[in-house]
Amino acid sequence: MIKPFLLAGTLILLMAFVLACGEAATPEPTAAPPTVAPTAAPTAAPTPTEAMMEEPTESPAMTGDIDPALAAAAAERAGGPGAFYIGDLNQLVGPAPGVGLGDANDMVNLAGLEREKYIFELQYYRDLVEKANFTNPTEMTYNGEPIEIQFACINRTVAPCELFDHFFRKEVEERTNGKVLIEITSFPELGIAGPDSLNLITNGSLSFAEISSSYVSGAMPEAELQILFGVYETHEHYMGVQEAIGPLVDSLFEENSEGGKVISHMWISGADQFFFCKDSIESLADFDGRKVRSHGSALSDWINGFGAAAQFVAFAEVYTALERGVLDCGVTVAFASVAQRWYEVTTYMVGPLATQAVNTIIMSPQVWNELPPDIQQILVEEGARHELEGLRVTPAWNEVWIPRNVEAGMIFQEFTPELLEHQRNVVAPDFVIPGFVRRQDEANRPAMIELFNEKIAPIVGLRIRPDGTGERIQ
């Protein structure tokens, strides 16, 4: 957990700014990640919190005065992988970067983009475009031996890892003329568990990895701010929260990993959570006593708030647990259930529990600090471009993968109004919020409550009382 004085300092700076500016079968583990050639350490860049304190500047998209060079870059990339938005959603329409990463025809369609249009109008998105540095990309000067870096996905069979492979890995290797080679592996292949992932990044056992806030909330409870299930009722809530506190959470990941570097995020617009169960769930009583797989503390609070019994089970082990009756239900996103063939061991697909998933892609301090400065900056730029591509392709995933589950034999049941009302008025304020508060370090708790009430409550219409419970303000 982050030292209290570090968190307090970060939060104080953030509050000052606010006041001033209004996871298949498991192969044998692979070899340990290779190291990279050492170079002189680069000049330290400002931390996200420090950057937030700098004088804000208007982006071209904010003013409508688009830089001609940026417009040319957008036009050059329009109609396929790498396209980004500066005012015309039609430029984002076109093929996805790989099979299974778009709609039923592996395309990014206009209807999905229009449904999630709010994403492309956020300052968060505009900042990504600026960070991607399309108009003045960093020139590679490194001319040494190829640098090999191993990247660990939570599970390589699911769509986000496929996207990382087809886009980030490919783009980095092409841009560096093969001087940076990304080898993709996964948690099951390495024989590691999600809750250990942040510690393994910190000590260098993992060089580069996808980290789920749900998994590491035991070691870093502040990460739960990104995944308070049921408190954030819509995709817009999730994106609004990321825009409000994303830089702070990134800085906390870097501090907790003792100097790791956040390179990108796996954004999944089509990442609603579903309950894959053997029996139907049509009422609150149907949840009672069910043994339900959970992948994090906040989700466990949600499950327990419905009268079920949350049990943490690693993603790759859920199929067997469902098959043997150890679990009654498993919870995951629609595309992951197909990848893991949960339709063979369950019958009902119940939901959705609205989620706009964001996993953090972070590099260990040992690897990051040995990279040449130009390679570092290229990775940061490509990380932003990967994030932009994720936001382009994933809006189609819910609408495609729900039917694919049905085609595989699942019976889809939407949450009833009764279940949604229970979530809003009981589970969110009386289970999820108190659980989040309870897991915070005692010294950090007041600051986390203040941060939530200042930055998140206005977005979600729910604030935290002094006793740690939630109350509706809208």
Side-chain angles (χ1 to χ4, degrees):
M1 182 178 298
I2 186 171
K3 295 181 180 179
F5 74 88
L6 287 174
L7 175 62
T10 303
L11 294 177
I12 289 170
L13 287 172
L14 178 60
M15 293 306 176
F17 175 80
V18 171
L19 293 173
C21 305
E23 251 146 296
T26 304
E28 291 295 321
T30 62
T35 58
V36 296
T39 65
T43 302
T47 66
T49 306
E50 292 170 339
M52 291 170 67
M53 297 301 297
E54 296 176 358
E55 191 69 24
T57 59
E58 284 191 321
S59 70
M62 293 175 65
T63 64
D65 184 15
I66 299 175
D67 179 355
L70 185 63
E76 179 183 355
R77 292 164 174 80
F84 62 96
Y85 176 79
I86 56 170
D88 184 1
L89 285 177
N90 288 286
Q91 289 190 321
L92 306 186
V93 175
V99 175
L101 296 178
D103 61 16
N105 299 312
D106 291 321
M107 297 287 288
V108 173
N109 61 68
L110 185 59
L113 295 167
E114 289 179 334
R115 185 177 60 251
E116 307 280 356
K117 186 177 180 180
Y118 63 90
I119 292 173
F120 309 104
E121 296 176 342
L122 292 171
Q123 184 62 46
Y124 182 88
Y125 187 93
R126 296 167 185 156
D127 291 343
L128 282 175
V129 172
E130 182 176 355
K131 189 177 180 181
N133 201 13
F134 289 109
T135 61
N136 187 29
T138 297
E139 180 181 354
M140 186 180 70
T141 58
Y142 174 76
N143 196 31
E145 292 298 313
I147 299 169
E148 298 182 359
I149 306 174
Q150 187 181 69
F151 177 77
C153 289
I154 291 173
N155 193 293
R156 70 158 71 236
T157 68
V158 298
C161 189
E162 293 284 345
L163 178 60
F164 185 90
D165 185 13
H166 285 284
F167 193 81
F168 181 86
R169 179 199 59 78
K170 175 176 174 289
E171 293 293 320
V172 168
E173 293 185 4
E174 288 184 359
R175 184 167 172 186
T176 63
N177 298 318
K179 290 294 186 180
V180 178
L181 302 174
I182 310 293
E183 175 197 357
I184 298 180
T185 185
S186 67
F187 290 9
E189 291 170 272
L190 295 173
I192 64 175
D196 300 328
S197 53
L198 187 57
N199 289 333
L200 294 173
I201 280 287
T202 303
N203 65 31
S205 297
L206 287 176
S207 297
F208 192 23
E210 169 193 4
I211 306 294
S212 165
S213 292
S214 288
Y215 284 173
V216 302
S217 60
M220 181 181 156
E222 304 90 350
E224 286 189 5
L225 284 170
Q226 293 182 314
I227 39 88
L228 292 178
F229 298 102
V231 175
Y232 309 154
E233 299 177 284
T234 67
H235 294 174
E236 290 90 337
H237 282 175
Y238 278 91
M239 288 302 302
V241 169
Q242 177 68 6
E243 183 167 60
I245 55 93
L248 170 62
V249 175
D250 283 352
S251 71
L252 293 177
F253 268 107
E254 293 179 347
E255 289 171 1
N256 276 271
S257 61
E258 299 179 6
K261 177 65 177 178
V262 173
I263 301 296
S264 187
H265 301 89
M266 284 186 172
W267 269 111
I268 314 168
S269 301
D272 290 341
Q273 303 286 308
F274 295 87
F275 292 74
F276 294 85
C277 304
K278 296 181 178 181
D279 298 313
S280 172
I281 294 181
E282 300 181 50
S283 68
L284 186 57
D286 291 332
F287 268 108
D288 193 34
R290 297 274 182 103
K291 295 172 291 184
V292 180
R293 178 256 180 168
S294 175
H295 50 70
S297 299
L299 181 57
S300 293
D301 292 332
W302 192 101
I303 293 168
N304 294 334
F306 273 83
Q311 300 184 20
F312 179 82
V313 178
F315 181 57
E317 299 172 6
V318 177
Y319 181 102
T320 301
L322 289 165
E323 184 179 36
R324 295 177 178 177
V326 175
L327 292 173
D328 298 310
C329 303
V331 180
T332 192
V333 297
F335 58 80
S337 68
V338 172
Q340 294 291 287
R341 306 175 71 90
W342 286 9
Y343 52 81
E344 296 178 344
V345 290
T346 59
T347 303
Y348 294 90
M349 175 182 183
V350 187
L353 171 54
T355 314
Q356 188 85 318
V358 55
N359 289 345
T360 300
I361 297 175
I362 187 169
M363 187 171 286
S364 73
Q366 294 85 352
V367 172
W368 174 254
N369 290 330
E370 293 180 351
L371 290 173
D374 56 321
I375 298 299
Q376 287 184 331
Q377 186 56 34
I378 287 171
L379 288 173
V380 169
E381 292 171 9
E382 291 300 328
R385 298 179 187 191
H386 165 261
E387 205 164 336
L388 291 168
E389 183 67 4
L391 292 170
R392 182 181 82 95
V393 305
T394 62
W397 287 3
N398 275 327
E399 68 184 35
V400 171
W401 290 99
I402 293 174
R404 288 180 180 172
N405 276 275
V406 173
E407 290 168 6
M410 301 300 300
I411 299 172
F412 178 40
Q413 294 180 323
E414 291 193 71
F415 280 153
T416 65
E418 173 200 12
L419 295 176
L420 293 174
E421 182 179 359
H422 184 73
Q423 170 185 275
R424 178 175 176 81
N425 297 320
V426 178
V427 174
D430 298 338
F431 286 86
V432 180
I433 286 294
F436 165 73
V437 173
R438 185 173 59 250
R439 285 184 291 274
Q440 302 308 307
D441 181 87
E442 186 175 355
N444 296 340
R445 193 172 297 145
M448 295 306 294
I449 293 174
E450 183 180 0
L451 173 64
F452 183 97
N453 288 339
E454 180 73 28
K455 300 289 286 181
I456 299 176
I459 298 170
V460 302
L462 184 68
R463 69 181 301 274
I464 304 177
R465 298 187 182 105
D467 66 359
T469 60
E471 66 175 345
R472 287 285 164 198
I473 57 176
Q474 292 178 10

